[in-house]
Amino acid sequence: MKKYGLSLLLFILLIVPGCGFAEKVGNSVSFAADTATYMQTLAEFGQEMDSLAADAAADTQARKALTDRLAALKEQIVQYADLQVPEYAAELHQSIVGYNDKLQEGLDQAITNLEEGKAAFESTGIPGTVSQISELLNQLTRLIPQ
C-alpha cells in the first residue's frame, strides 16, 4: 500500500507542473492566433476604407453600415486589450495596445464625421495607424511556430 501511495504521489508531482507548462504553451498559441486574426481584420479594414468612405458619402444605408462596422471595430479593440498575454509577447502586445488607443480616437472621430455628414476618415489618423499595426502583424507572423 505504501508503494502504491508513493507511486501516486510521484505521479502527481510529475504531472501537475507539466499541466502548467501545457497551459502556458496553449496560452501562447492562443494569443498568437487571436492577435493574428485581430490584426488581419484591421488590415482588411484598412484596404476597404476608401471604398467604404466613398459609399458612405453617397448612400445613407452605406453610412449606417460603416458606422456599425466602426462600432464593431471599437468593440474588438476593447476585447483585444483583455487578452491573456504570454511573457514573451508583452512588449508586442503593449505596442499594439498603444496603437489601439490611437485607433480608438480615430474611430470616434470617424463616427462623429459620419454623423456630421463629413468625409468619414478626414483628420482621423486611421490610415497611418492601420499601416503601423500591419507592420506589427509581420513581426507577429515571425513569432508563430510554422
Side-chain angles (χ1 to χ4, degrees):
M1 193 63 168
K2 270 184 157 179
K3 194 175 195 179
Y4 174 73
L6 186 58
S7 295
L8 180 61
L9 179 62
L10 183 60
F11 176 75
I12 290 172
L13 289 174
L14 291 174
I15 295 299
V16 170
C19 291
F21 176 74
E23 184 177 330
K24 286 180 184 179
V25 169
N27 288 342
S28 293
V29 170
S30 177
F31 170 78
D34 290 346
T35 299
T37 300
Y38 167 70
M39 293 176 75
Q40 187 62 39
T41 299
L42 292 179
E44 288 170 4
F45 176 74
Q47 293 170 352
E48 299 170 356
M49 275 180 32
D50 291 337
S51 65
L52 292 171
D55 292 345
D59 180 24
T60 55
Q61 287 181 334
R63 188 176 306 123
K64 171 77 171 108
L66 179 55
T67 301
D68 292 346
R69 183 147 181 207
L70 295 174
L73 279 174
K74 287 179 62 169
E75 180 60 33
Q76 286 180 312
I77 289 170
V78 170
Q79 290 174 357
Y80 180 79
D82 293 337
L83 282 181
Q84 190 171 19
V85 182
E87 202 174 299
Y88 76 89
E91 189 175 320
L92 176 64
H93 181 260
Q94 194 57 42
S95 295
I96 295 169
V97 168
Y99 289 126
N100 281 348
D101 291 342
K102 288 184 198 175
L103 189 57
Q104 278 274 40
E105 292 172 14
L107 293 172
D108 289 338
Q109 182 61 48
I111 291 170
T112 300
N113 288 352
L114 287 169
E115 290 169 352
E116 295 175 353
K118 297 179 183 176
F121 301 113
E122 180 180 309
S123 303
T124 62
I126 292 175
T129 304
V130 169
S131 175
Q132 291 170 325
I133 291 173
S134 293
E135 289 176 28
L136 287 176
L137 176 60
N138 293 333
Q139 290 179 18
L140 177 68
T141 307
R142 290 187 290 247
L143 292 176
I144 298 173
Q146 301 295 333

